Amino acid sequence: MKILVTGSNGLLGQKLTSLIASRNTHELIATGRGSSTNNIDQDGYFDLDITDRVSVQKMISSARPDVIIHAAAMTQVDDCELKQEICWKVNVEATANLLEVAKEVDAQFIYVSTDFIFDGSSGPLTEEAIPSPVNFYGHSKLAAEKLVMAYPGKWTIIRTVLVYGVTPEKARSNIVLWVKNSLEAGKTIQVVDDQFRTPTLAEDLAQGCLLAAERGAAGIFNISGSELLSPYQIALETADFFGLDKTKIVRTDSGKFIQPALRPLKTGFIIDKAKAVLGYSPHTFRSGLGKIKEQLALYNS
């Protein structure tokens, strides 16, 4: 199977391309901006601007993948709120570009979406929950979902939640690394306890995407961790696991923070469908922290 991955330099993209390459049963085509950050064979990596319709058409028409896993996106929620035109171009128009040429090559289209398409009024959520985003990022991802659902070929939407993990260059932060690095630096941090998510290890999300490709699964799948936690609980567990000072973690609530974009209060996913149909099996949050500890030791050696 020939699998094309967009956004291969991102956290998910790096985990996904590494997973695909480790199988030795698929042909990997990776795309991203600039040079590859994941030691991908340069014959299989393409510097591609997915907002450039002509470049997308030329590259994918030539490669003719069986599956396109669209992991590239503008995900910085506040940046999306402040730079809506750019957000729309990257998250919606680029998806339309990819879908157009995917149709020509009859590729399965797997789109990575988010819990931020929901308003946060309840959770955890099934695949049947009704979207109602409260910020522009969620609005853009929902608009792209609708484009994917109109795709005449086989399509799959993978929704996920609060992805965490580490890459060799350690340049991309997330809640776990932020808590760990802040506490190691002796900083006091304020963490909200009125939002709830099912945090997702990046390796698990990559596993879910590849399972959907290998099984030719169609429709919507929730891919996340299984534990509903607040960021405050996540911070406490992270501090406990790494032996850091939990007294520097101050409990607060969302009303104390002024941010350009609203955040849904309670989301998180029920992942029964992914377990039953895909055979998906995520790490516990604590075992995910163990994975990060192992990787940090390897990357720092």
Side-chain angles (χ1 to χ4, degrees), residues 240-262:
D240 181 67
F241 184 87
F242 288 101
L244 301 171
D245 186 358
K246 291 188 284 189
T247 66
K248 291 189 175 294
I249 302 172
V250 178
R251 184 199 305 252
T252 188
D253 61 68
S254 301
K256 302 292 196 304
F257 288 90
I258 299 176
Q259 297 171 297
L262 292 173

Side-chain angles (χ1 to χ4, degrees), residues 73-131:
M74 182 174 177
T75 59
Q76 298 84 357
V77 180
D78 290 329
D79 283 351
C80 287
E81 203 71 25
L82 297 171
K83 304 171 183 177
Q84 295 187 4
E85 185 175 341
I86 296 173
C87 173
W88 192 263
K89 185 174 184 179
V90 173
N91 288 354
V92 184
E93 294 178 9
T95 302
N97 292 340
L98 291 161
L99 284 165
E100 183 178 346
V101 67
K103 179 181 176 182
E104 294 180 15
V105 300
D106 192 29
Q108 178 183 1
F109 196 90
I110 300 177
Y111 177 70
V112 181
S113 192
T114 172
D115 62 318
F116 272 37
I117 65 170
F118 299 104
D119 63 13
S121 60
S122 64
L125 304 158
T126 68
E127 287 82 357
E128 287 72 40
I130 305 301

Side-chain angles (χ1 to χ4, degrees), residues 273-285:
K273 179 181 177 182
K275 288 180 175 180
V277 177
L278 302 180
Y280 173 67
S281 178
H283 289 73
T284 64
F285 183 65

Side-chain angles (χ1 to χ4, degrees), residues 187-202:
K187 297 178 181 178
T188 297
I189 56 174
Q190 297 187 45
V191 189
V192 299
D193 198 27
D194 62 344
Q195 296 179 16
F196 294 89
R197 308 284 187 259
T198 45
T200 311
L201 183 66

Side-chain angles (χ1 to χ4, degrees), residues 179-300:
V179 169
K180 180 178 181 295
N181 293 338
S182 297
L183 296 181
E184 286 176 340
K187 297 178 181 178
T188 297
I189 56 174
Q190 297 187 45
V191 189
V192 299
D193 198 27
D194 62 344
Q195 296 179 16
F196 294 89
R197 308 284 187 259
T198 45
T200 311
L201 183 66
E203 280 83 356
D204 290 339
L205 178 55
Q207 176 204 35
C209 291
L210 185 55
L211 283 170
E214 291 178 334
R215 303 197 176 194
I220 301 171
F221 292 89
N222 290 341
I223 296 291
S224 76
S226 59
E227 298 155 272
L228 189 67
L229 301 169
S230 71
Y232 180 70
Q233 291 171 313
I234 290 170
L236 290 177
E237 286 206 36
T238 300
D240 181 67
F241 184 87
F242 288 101
L244 301 171
D245 186 358
K246 291 188 284 189
T247 66
K248 291 189 175 294
I249 302 172
V250 178
R251 184 199 305 252
T252 188
D253 61 68
S254 301
K256 302 292 196 304
F257 288 90
I258 299 176
Q259 297 171 297
L262 292 173
R263 268 67 168 173
L265 288 180
K266 188 175 186 180
T267 61
F269 286 148
I270 295 168
I271 55 175
D272 293 348
K273 179 181 177 182
K275 288 180 175 180
V277 177
L278 302 180
Y280 173 67
S281 178
H283 289 73
T284 64
F285 183 65
R286 190 166 185 83
S287 64
L289 293 176
K291 188 87 172 175
I292 288 178
K293 185 177 182 179
E294 291 173 5
Q295 291 172 348
L296 286 172
L298 177 64
Y299 299 153
N300 291 330

